[in-house]
Amino acid sequence: MKGKGLLQRLGFLKSMGFGIFLLVFILILSVISTILPQNQEVQFYVEGYSEYLAELIFILGLDHIYTSSLFAMLFGALAINLLLCNTMRLGKTIRKVRQRYNIAAMKKISSYKLTKPMNDSLALSYIFKGYGAAGIFKYKCKEGIYFSSKNTLGYFGSWFLHLGIMLIILSYIYGQATFFSGEVFGVPGERMNLEGTEVFAEIRSFDVSYREDGSVEQYITELQLQDTSGEQRQHGSISVNNPMRYRGYSFYQTSMGWAAECEAFKAFIPLKSQLIYEKTALNIPEENIAIALTKFYPDFAADSMNFSSLSDKPNNPALLYSIFYRNELVKMDIVKPGEYIQWNDYSFTIDNFRRYTYLKVNKMRGQLGAAIGGLLIILGLALTFYVKPRELAIKQEGEMLFIYGKAAEQNRNNSGMNTLSIENFINNKEDGIDVK
Amino acid sequence: MLSEKQGFLMALMLYSLAALTYIMFLVSKKLKLSTYGSWFVRAGLIFHTLALAMRTIETSYLPLTSQYEFATSFAWGISLFFVGFEWKYKIRSLGAFATPLILIVTFYAALQSSEIKPLMPALQSKWLFVHVSTAIFSYGSFAIACAVSIMFIIRDRLKESDFTSNHMPQLSILDNMSYKAITFGFFMLTIVIITGAIWAERAWGRYWQWDPKETWSFITWIIYAIYLHVRLNRGWKNKKAAWYAVVGFLSILFTYIGVNTILAGYHSY
């Protein structure tokens, strides 16, 4: 009894109905994920939605659907469904392939009355062709019955397809579970450690190439990867769509911006000097003061409403800074690079602007599995839709010739041959071929 | 020499004429009108092809990189599939259902900016052309499946007459046509998603990151996957399948137009 119960449960888990239920569930969650803003602060949902709806959002993890347990469980269940379905399907598929030469598994499609004995290979070919066995096919005789089959691989289409989907799901789950994400950024000459690894990256150069019309053609970073001793391990150029690969790590050209040298003084005595990036600040905690490079305008232009940059080339550079004292904004203005910025006893200079590059670094395992999965899906679909298995059998009983097939309408092709022409051919009424 | 704009406008005009004559054929039941419709749409396809070729020559890349370019290529794809289906199945009345779809997408293209912009770094990839051109074939095929399914739904409601028996195929044939178009569209959509994933890995660092466009392509893929499962395994055919194909195409339209206009993501070119 226990065994039967387990089998029943397995039967449900492998069923198409369960698979479709999971797909519909995933579909609904996917739709919600594009309607409901994801990964927002708790307050966003509390204020934006009713109390009950907000609670439901948190319980089901709808605020972060793609990383929620529910979503992971659904994909896990789908992988199990596919695994069980495919395991059980394999036996059935192999049985189908073996039954190619089993007339009991076929249906009688048509019959012809023979006026002469018929055992000529040309006639057999002609009949097989007439019933859709055109192209590459073989026939064999088994116990006086002629069998022909083609596109047998088509039986495995659905199997490959489901295996491919399963591989992609498993590879994706594995990839997500072991995903590494890091960053490398800086101006040329900077060297930094890729956090959490023993890889060091030195930015050798960063260039922006322009077309004649002034539009950006490409962002190119020349990067050298080193080990802890500073020995070069890899060296190359990275641009958008052309990442650098090193031991599973991929370095992507993701972004760029401006950086400058910032110096702070108190009563003209130097306090601190540091490279700061756009939207970052030079902070002096002991003095409770900070200056932020709020925005850099390489080609500054101003009208009554706005500040803007006419291009991203430093034709007329200007910068917007913000000074914070005891965490409060105390001054904000536009100045030229290198110009003295004064607030009370403090003074600052922001100068020597350079472009910095920002590279995202990922290490995602399971990509090979996903790639094989993708190929299997394409192969599976091609086999399922366009490689239809066909089987035919010709059996002679006395004066009668019987044609058997798996599916009559599938085995008919558009060769233009009809039963009459086949009968004429067999009985040598039309073509004048001597059929013994 | 014909400019891209002239070619596009000629195609738009010819598609409009084709839609008009096909619908008049359906209403007046005059066979000659369907012949005109067929010629108009074929001529429209020729001008459309020339327009796309002219733009390709001008830009040095296939017109697949902006809303306008994708819309005009999408309309071209539907048109190409329609001409192919009409030629293969010899069903003139299909034009009354397919040409309005071609026209809608062509008009949508006409509403977009056709300004030629230099290719931004993110779009400089050979994968772009594989990814987007397969999308044209996929969407075009789904559009024809939708047109055939609408025809099925209408044919199903009409009383049997000389016109329906002579010019509208049997329901089983329409059902099969829709299925064939969906299988091809699904095959292509799968390639679209896979090539998109490969490209995303090279450009953004992850082959799947639930960007709204990715998510909606996935949703559309699930919709058609369910269709194929229930059809092949449960014999789900005819009217239910026809309505389902129409819903599937609405999902395609949302993936293409809705996502780009309503939802923000990486695909905002």
Side-chain angles (χ1 to χ4, degrees), chain A residues 7 43 66 91 118 128 171 180 186 188 203 207 256 286 335 423:
Chain A
L7 275 177
Q43 209 59 21
Y66 310 125
M118 205 282 311
F128 281 132
S171 303
F180 169 88
I203 297 159
D207 293 307
M256 53 81 67
E286 59 275 18
V335 289
E423 196 166 348

Side-chain angles (χ1 to χ4, degrees), chain A residues 176 211 217 241 245 252 362, chain B residues 119 122 124 199 201 205-206:
Chain A
Q176 288 295 104
R211 297 187 185 90
E217 189 174 21
N241 278 308
R245 316 275 187 189
Y252 300 92
N362 290 349
Chain B
L119 217 50
Q124 291 167 31
W199 182 21
E201 195 282 324
R206 295 181 85 153

